[in-house]
Amino acid sequence: MQDHRGPRWLPGGHLQTIWPALVARRLRRSDPRYRRERWTTPDDDFIDVDWLDVAAAGEHPLLVLFHGLEGSSRSHYALAFARAAHARGWRYAVPHFRGCSGELNRAPRAYHSGDYEEVGWILSRMREVHRGPIVAIGVSLGGNALFRWAEEAGEAARRAVCAVAAVCAPLDLASGGRAIGRGFNRQVYTRLFLRTMKPKALAKLAQHPGLFDRERLLAARDLYQFDNVFTAPVHGFRDTDDYWKRASAKPHLARICIPALALNARNDPFVPAASLPRADEAGDHVTLWQPAHGGHVGFAAGRFPGHLKSLPAAVLDWLADHLEATLASVQRARAPGASPSGQ
């Protein structure tokens, strides 16, 4: 995946973003069947978790996927990772950020790109209900939030997961926000996002009158304006600039203490190549894959929708390598005669 090149018949970041998502819709007859659980949050709200179980759960690995902005367990990338996890005999779970499972959550808050406390609570619950090893992937917004959790958790992250991966995450939120607010991105992607985000915010206002200014929200034409009215103030940030600065994972990558993979195509329309982290910014535990092609969560390959296999396979291979290394370390530590440090 580090050397991924898009097919010649699918040039450019926009086509490599849009085509895989459109083609994936034609394969819905092979969608996996999820089992849904509802978890009560510490603030008496709820999130819904969709599970794809293996025949005997036992100590099989568990893959947890945090979806992107307005995503869900039905997003094309979530279904692709579900199929790949099932083929390996892994359990698979997609916890939905609040309001993304098809039912509006109860609390005034929703979700945001730096929601590391929510990610931490979810992973701690996963650790309670699953005996085997856990790895986690975050896609786009979910990838930034997952990395922010790993940064804040430090060494303690090892108690929850063996390794993490962020796929097409806007680790510099200000750069990503500016990019999606301009030109073709503004006319296509921004409109698609606001088409669902605005009605959800208005429903939230009906739940909690006075939460924000309705007319300002209706006037918002890009994510910067939407975040200024809703996302930032509702979640404790001064404004959009404060939110994007404090929630970005890029400035804190060196604090990550577990194996972490950051995969970003350099032609991603949402994430400018110039904003991607350099090796000297990543820290000792972060691996950077920055192929020239792939678009935003696209990575099409071959004559057929190859992204349905190539992207999940590459990321899961990387996670599996680190999962096996962690298990080997644990087994050495448990071996008869091993010292408490495992040396």
Side-chain angles (χ1 to χ4, degrees):
M1 190 56 66
Q2 170 72 311
D3 300 320
H4 175 83
R5 297 192 65 83
R8 292 184 179 180
W9 50 268
L10 198 67
H14 291 297
L15 287 178
Q16 290 173 14
T17 297
I18 297 170
W19 183 86
L22 292 178
V23 172
R25 295 178 184 174
R26 299 171 57 186
L27 303 178
R28 286 297 170 90
R29 286 178 294 181
S30 62
D31 283 357
R33 294 184 179 181
Y34 293 114
R35 170 179 60 84
R36 175 161 292 190
E37 290 183 358
R38 176 159 292 186
W39 290 357
T40 300
T41 63
D43 59 345
D44 199 33
D45 200 355
F46 68 89
I47 65 163
D48 289 323
V49 182
D50 282 355
W51 291 87
L52 188 68
D53 295 320
V54 293
E59 294 192 2
H60 289 267
L62 166 63
L63 171 62
V64 180
L65 183 137
F66 293 93
H67 61 76
L69 182 64
E70 294 299 272
S72 73
S73 64
R74 313 309 300 182
S75 295
H76 73 278
Y77 53 81
L79 295 170
F81 276 105
R83 297 185 190 97
H86 185 264
R88 291 172 184 248
W90 292 10
R91 298 187 75 196
Y92 179 70
V94 181
H96 291 87
F97 289 118
R98 302 195 198 196
C100 291
S101 63
E103 183 176 339
L104 193 67
N105 64 301
R106 294 189 292 264
R109 59 156 298 168
Y111 68 102
H112 61 87
S113 298
D115 213 353
Y116 64 85
E117 291 181 343
E118 188 90 309
V119 170
W121 174 77
I122 290 170
L123 289 176
S124 68
R125 283 291 307 271
M126 293 291 177
R127 182 73 283 165
E128 292 173 5
V129 302
H130 181 73
R131 297 199 308 270
I134 300 174
V135 291
I137 294 174
V139 177
S140 196
L141 173 150
N144 185 81
L146 178 62
F147 269 29
R148 284 295 291 118
W149 165 78
E151 293 162 354
E152 294 295 323
E155 289 287 350
R158 299 180 187 276
R159 295 198 292 267
V161 299
C162 298
V164 295
V167 177
C168 298
L171 302 176
D172 180 339
L173 292 173
S175 293
R178 287 193 295 269
I180 203 170
R182 293 194 296 257
F184 181 87
N185 288 352
R186 181 186 179 101
Q187 296 303 317
V188 178
Y189 306 120
T190 295
R191 287 186 176 185
L192 287 174
F193 285 132
L194 292 181
R195 187 178 300 171
T196 57
M197 293 168 67
K198 281 188 175 184
K200 284 184 182 179
L202 293 173
K204 187 63 60 181
L205 183 63
Q207 273 184 328
H208 303 277
L211 187 63
F212 58 84
D213 187 317
R214 182 177 185 274
E215 296 308 314
R216 287 184 61 209
L217 182 116
L218 291 175
R221 292 294 178 266
D222 57 32
L223 296 186
Y224 184 94
Q225 295 170 1
F226 180 91
D227 287 344
N228 234 2
V229 177
F230 179 75
T231 313
V234 167
H235 298 100
F237 300 98
R238 183 182 65 252
D239 53 23
T240 298
D241 293 323
D242 181 48
Y243 162 41
W244 287 356
K245 180 179 179 179
R246 290 167 55 193
S248 292
K250 181 181 175 181
H252 314 289
L253 290 175
R255 294 167 57 187
I256 294 179
C257 297
I258 57 174
L261 170 66
L263 168 59
N264 293 93
R266 299 189 70 83
N267 69 347
D268 186 333
F270 298 1
V271 184
S275 73
L276 297 180
R278 303 186 308 270
D280 62 334
E281 298 174 308
D284 295 337
H285 297 281
V286 179
T287 298
L288 302 177
W289 285 358
Q290 297 175 355
H293 299 266
H296 190 74
V297 203
F299 299 100
R303 295 175 179 270
F304 199 62
H307 70 289
L308 295 179
K309 294 183 178 180
S310 63
L311 170 60
V315 175
L316 294 194
D317 282 348
W318 187 92
L319 290 170
D321 287 343
H322 291 280
L323 188 154
E324 291 172 3
T326 300
L327 292 180
S329 177
V330 171
Q331 290 172 353
R332 287 195 298 269
R334 292 176 177 175
S339 67
S341 63
Q343 301 296 318

